[in-house]
Amino acid sequence: MGENLVLNFESRGYTVAVYNRTTKTMTNFVEGRAKGKNIVGGTTLEEFVGLLAKPRKVMLMVMAGKVTDGVIDQVAPLLEAGDIIIDGGNSEFEDTNRRTAALRAKNLLFIGTGVSGGEEGALTGPSIMPGGNPAAWPAVKPLFQAISAKVADGTPCCDWVGDDGAGHYVKMVHNGIEYGDIQLICEAYQLLQKVCGFNNEQLAAVFNEWNKGDLDSYLIEIAAQIFAVKDDQDASGQSYVLDKILDTAGQKGTGKWTAVSALNLGMPLTLIGESVFARCLSAQKDERVAASAILPGVPEQPLLPAAEIPGFVKKVHDALLASKIVSYAQGFVLIKAAAQQYKWGLNYGNVALLWRGGCIIRSQFLGDIKNMFDRTPDISNMMLDPFFSKILTECMAGWREVAALAMLRGIPSPCITAGLTYYDGYRSARLPANLLQAQRDFFGAHQYERVDQPRGKFFHTNWTGRGGSTASNTYQV
């Protein structure tokens, strides 16, 4: 991504200086892909910094965590007051909070910038989510908006998100939604395989068709392409790459950070959390293989009759669409909670706009999300918006049938079922948490509120007659 961002900047009329700790890597780039372009290399950090016009703008594309800290520690002493350091990696937002404050104390400006779009997006136009020290934004705004993706009316998918770690937080939640989207697509893929018996060509055709409607998105588009790619290592030319890939998923931390942040803020990020755990379960390949020979499941079920397949494909479409709405709803609820906690003045419609082009989760209804926030900026959950509640209502029957069939056939569908459970929980005026509170009060005197008393007034019952009247303090963590 770093190389492609450099080429993107250069293609917009900027001269770019580059540096890599391995000089050969830098030289190969300057003399290869960058040959004949306005790109120059520095063999040392000192030489690299000397190539930059003031105020210097140094963008880091390195591994998150200690590596980023190490590079900042190396480059900061070479800079002057007012120079700007930009972290374009997937850093944890609390690290960005810390770095912004530490560099401000040295009279240096810091921007923590989420960049989404992968290698192709970096070259042709990514989604860019900058946050940090707002004093740096005027200097980098024209550069970032020049290289970013644009929506149909030319609006750049890049704008200032907020102070300190706001940009990296929004990128983190973007990646959490990405985890959910990918897992939902995988569940739809498995259901169509196991219930309909679809081969890769049929799957490609279904996903291509879905990409023309409500599910139009980058991830649906590339899934259709993936299904169709033949394995060039197979001399017969009859097998597909997808079928040769080991079913163990990797992750780089942003999904986990999203789930941890949700727990810290007390937000029910259930679908995205399940998508992270699904990757963790996939990594236990050897245990799963052993368990498959021991633990009983559902007897092999016959494939659906041909006449019933089109109807089932539509139901899977509806389950995928409804669950996707839940995933985005949970993501925006989390962003709003974080904005309140960290006092970030976020524009949620602008966040949706940042994701409309260039990024991995770009999809058709992000424009509808922006329109929703334009109409009702204080809406508590996008499932309550008439546009999205109508879609959920229309998808409901298929969503429930698919979730039930997955359970009955023993086909793991953690995100489809978690999305439906969240929906049902959110719409329930009364949940069984009254029994939960009673049990907490029984064993720990944690107290409870009553339906016939004002909120905020707490009570304790001496359930056994031996507990006395002393109660524990009531608090939320």
Side-chain angles (χ1 to χ4, degrees):
M1 284 185 70
E3 282 191 9
N4 282 354
L5 283 171
V6 169
L7 293 169
N8 192 345
F9 277 118
E10 195 275 342
S11 72
R12 309 297 173 178
Y14 295 100
T15 299
V16 189
V18 296
Y19 168 80
N20 189 287
R21 63 177 180 168
T22 304
T23 302
K24 185 177 180 181
T25 300
M26 181 274 294
T27 303
N28 287 344
F29 173 62
V30 171
E31 296 178 354
R33 296 181 73 198
K35 189 173 183 179
K37 302 182 184 295
N38 293 317
I39 297 171
V40 294
T43 57
T44 65
L45 270 176
E46 290 79 4
E47 182 184 359
F48 164 73
V49 169
L51 292 169
L52 301 175
K54 299 179 182 180
R56 301 178 182 92
K57 293 169 278 291
V58 180
M59 187 168 185
L60 315 180
M61 293 296 292
V62 296
M63 188 182 298
K66 292 181 179 179
V67 174
T68 298
D69 282 328
V71 176
I72 290 172
D73 289 344
Q74 288 179 326
V75 75
L78 305 176
L79 302 178
E80 300 174 4
D83 287 346
I84 301 165
I85 297 178
I86 304 161
D87 174 16
N90 278 331
S91 288
E92 195 165 8
F93 79 98
E94 290 179 342
D95 285 343
T96 305
N97 290 343
R98 170 177 56 80
R99 290 165 184 153
T100 304
L103 290 169
R104 182 184 287 116
K106 298 178 180 179
N107 294 317
L108 297 175
L109 306 178
F110 185 74
I111 297 181
T113 299
V115 181
S116 178
E119 292 185 25
E120 180 182 357
L123 181 63
T124 61
S127 169
I128 305 177
M129 295 153 263
N133 191 326
W137 178 232
V140 301
K141 178 180 178 179
L143 285 77
F144 279 176
Q145 292 192 340
I147 69 163
S148 71
K150 311 294 188 297
V151 294
D153 65 1
T155 303
C157 296
C158 170
D159 205 350
W160 186 251
V161 175
D163 292 353
D164 300 327
H168 271 139
Y169 194 93
V170 167
K171 175 55 164 49
M172 177 191 77
V173 176
H174 162 285
N175 283 25
I177 293 172
E178 176 188 315
Y179 272 55
D181 269 6
I182 291 174
Q183 178 62 27
L184 287 167
I185 288 169
C186 290
E187 292 172 20
Y189 152 61
Q190 188 171 34
L191 284 160
L192 294 174
Q193 263 194 331
K194 290 187 171 295
V195 178
C196 302
F198 280 177
N199 60 31
N200 286 34
E201 290 184 9
Q202 291 169 311
L203 288 163
V206 168
F207 275 67
N208 275 320
E209 189 62 31
W210 283 354
N211 201 46
K212 298 174 184 176
D214 293 335
L215 287 172
D216 174 18
S217 65
Y218 173 71
L219 288 170
I220 292 289
E221 176 188 341
I222 67 170
Q225 294 177 20
I226 287 167
F227 289 131
V229 175
K230 296 284 185 71
D231 182 12
D232 59 11
Q233 297 185 38
D234 177 13
S236 71
Q238 299 304 308
S239 61
Y240 295 83
V241 174
L242 179 62
D243 300 329
K244 301 296 179 66
I245 297 175
L246 189 68
D247 57 321
T248 60
Q251 56 179 312
K252 290 190 174 180
T254 46
K256 178 185 76 175
W257 296 343
T258 308
V260 169
S261 179
L263 289 169
N264 288 337
L265 293 169
M267 292 293 107
L269 202 79
T270 52
L271 190 154
I272 291 171
E274 284 293 347
S275 72
V276 178
F277 291 130
R279 294 195 187 193
C280 296
L281 184 59
S282 79
Q284 298 177 336
K285 174 68 174 179
D286 293 341
E287 290 185 52
R288 290 189 290 110
V289 171
S292 69
I294 300 170
L295 299 177
V298 178
E300 192 72 23
Q301 301 291 303
L303 298 175
L304 283 183
E308 296 180 20
I309 286 178
F312 182 73
V313 171
K314 175 62 166 63
K315 291 171 185 175
V316 174
H317 166 281
D318 290 352
L320 179 54
L321 178 59
S323 300
K324 185 183 176 78
I325 289 172
V326 168
S327 181
Y328 280 78
Q330 291 184 354
F332 275 99
V333 165
L334 179 59
I335 290 173
K336 292 186 77 170
Q340 293 171 3
Q341 175 74 18
Y342 300 106
K343 297 179 172 56
W344 296 328
L346 303 189
N347 182 313
Y348 305 108
N350 280 357
V351 171
L353 176 63
L354 299 183
W355 295 346
R356 280 179 63 192
C359 72
I360 301 301
I361 65 169
R362 60 185 183 266
S363 61
Q364 177 175 286
F365 68 53
L366 277 163
D368 299 310
I369 295 176
K370 184 183 187 306
N371 294 337
M372 174 194 71
F373 281 120
D374 288 344
R375 291 192 303 271
T376 50
D378 296 326
I379 193 167
S380 58
N381 190 305
M382 63 181 264
M383 294 193 304
L384 301 175
D385 179 74
F387 177 84
F388 291 106
S389 64
K390 182 175 182 289
I391 295 175
L392 290 169
T393 300
E394 292 169 349
C395 292
M396 189 56 55
W399 194 10
R400 292 191 186 282
E401 286 190 43
V402 167
L405 185 67
M407 291 292 188
L408 290 170
R409 290 199 175 213
I411 302 171
S413 302
C415 285
I416 288 174
T417 52
L420 183 55
T421 299
Y422 173 82
Y423 172 88
D424 281 334
Y426 188 74
R427 69 174 184 84
S428 295
R430 186 168 174 83
L431 291 169
N434 55 322
L435 177 57
L436 186 156
Q437 284 298 88
Q439 292 185 82
R440 293 180 72 237
D441 190 58
F442 187 107
F443 64 68
H446 292 298
Q447 305 185 73
Y448 55 83
E449 295 173 278
R450 294 178 60 98
V451 296
D452 56 358
Q453 295 291 328
R455 290 298 306 270
K457 189 175 181 180
F458 289 87
F459 300 85
H460 167 61
T461 293
N462 182 352
W463 298 92
T464 64
R466 301 185 301 274
S469 59
T470 303
S472 169
N473 290 333
T474 297
Y475 60 91
Q476 296 284 343
V477 295

